[in-house]
Amino acid sequence: SSDLSRASNSPLPQATYQEAQSEIMGKTVKGTRAGKEPVTRDYTVHLHKHMQKISFKKRAPRAVRVVRQFASKVMTTKDVRIDTKLNKFLWSNGVRNVPRRVRIRLSRKRNEDEDAKEKMFTLVQHVPVESFKGLQTE
């Protein structure tokens, strides 16, 4: 009981749980805003699971769309630009046989033109890898 009395008599003001929580939440909400600073990260996209029940002639276009949606979701930008090398890789086996996985580098960048609707855009580039085993988000 002496410990409890010491805690309540401490010179530091005791913040309530809700105040502390709102302070933490406020910081995280600020951190997850869409118009953030430029950043670059590597990801692996598992395309095979998105190609189930997709007719052959729509597979490669769907793969491009899946990569675009993934980049948009992760980087929180509407404007996503896919590099030509990545597009070539996705189409490399033809329209039907899309690669099972693809390693991509997502770069959130500032839009140069002033009159653009979005402040940031995401550039998606292909990162060639020997194997997908043991890779982490970098």
Side-chain angles (χ1 to χ4, degrees):
S1 65
S2 61
D3 292 347
L4 288 173
S5 62
R6 231 182 277 142
S8 60
N9 297 337
S10 65
L12 297 171
Q14 290 239 306
T16 65
Y17 175 75
Q18 284 176 326
E19 285 171 0
Q21 196 65 17
S22 65
E23 200 174 301
I24 292 165
M25 292 306 285
K27 282 178 187 164
T28 54
V29 168
K30 278 179 208 160
T32 55
R33 278 283 176 268
K36 285 184 291 186
E37 66 281 346
V39 66
T40 301
R41 290 193 216 107
D42 288 8
Y43 291 95
T44 301
V45 180
H46 190 187
L47 296 171
H48 187 66
K49 66 182 180 186
H50 297 284
M51 294 300 124
Q52 305 295 318
K53 304 242 175 103
I54 304 301
S55 60
F56 280 154
K57 295 299 179 189
K58 297 180 180 177
R59 282 181 173 217
R62 171 69 63 104
V64 174
R65 215 172 316 131
V66 163
V67 168
R68 194 180 290 278
Q69 283 170 354
F70 177 83
S72 178
K73 187 177 84 175
V74 170
M75 289 295 186
T76 62
T77 60
K78 285 201 183 83
D79 188 0
V80 176
R81 301 172 193 181
I82 292 183
D83 189 44
T84 51
K85 287 194 177 81
L86 173 60
N87 191 49
K88 283 237 171 41
F89 176 76
L90 293 175
W91 282 84
S92 62
N93 304 340
V95 70
R96 291 167 45 151
N97 302 311
V98 173
R100 287 191 166 219
R101 288 181 173 83
V102 61
R103 188 76 174 167
I104 56 175
R105 180 164 290 141
L106 301 182
S107 310
R108 191 192 301 128
K109 299 185 173 184
R110 292 202 200 297
N111 235 335
E112 294 304 316
D113 21 320
E114 302 302 311
D115 55 322
K117 281 184 283 192
E118 304 290 321
K119 284 196 178 74
M120 308 293 274
F121 71 93
T122 303
L123 178 64
V124 189
Q125 295 169 306
H126 179 227
V127 181
V129 289
E130 301 292 312
S131 165
F132 290 98
K133 304 278 169 75
L135 291 174
Q136 300 274 310
T137 299
E138 292 169 23

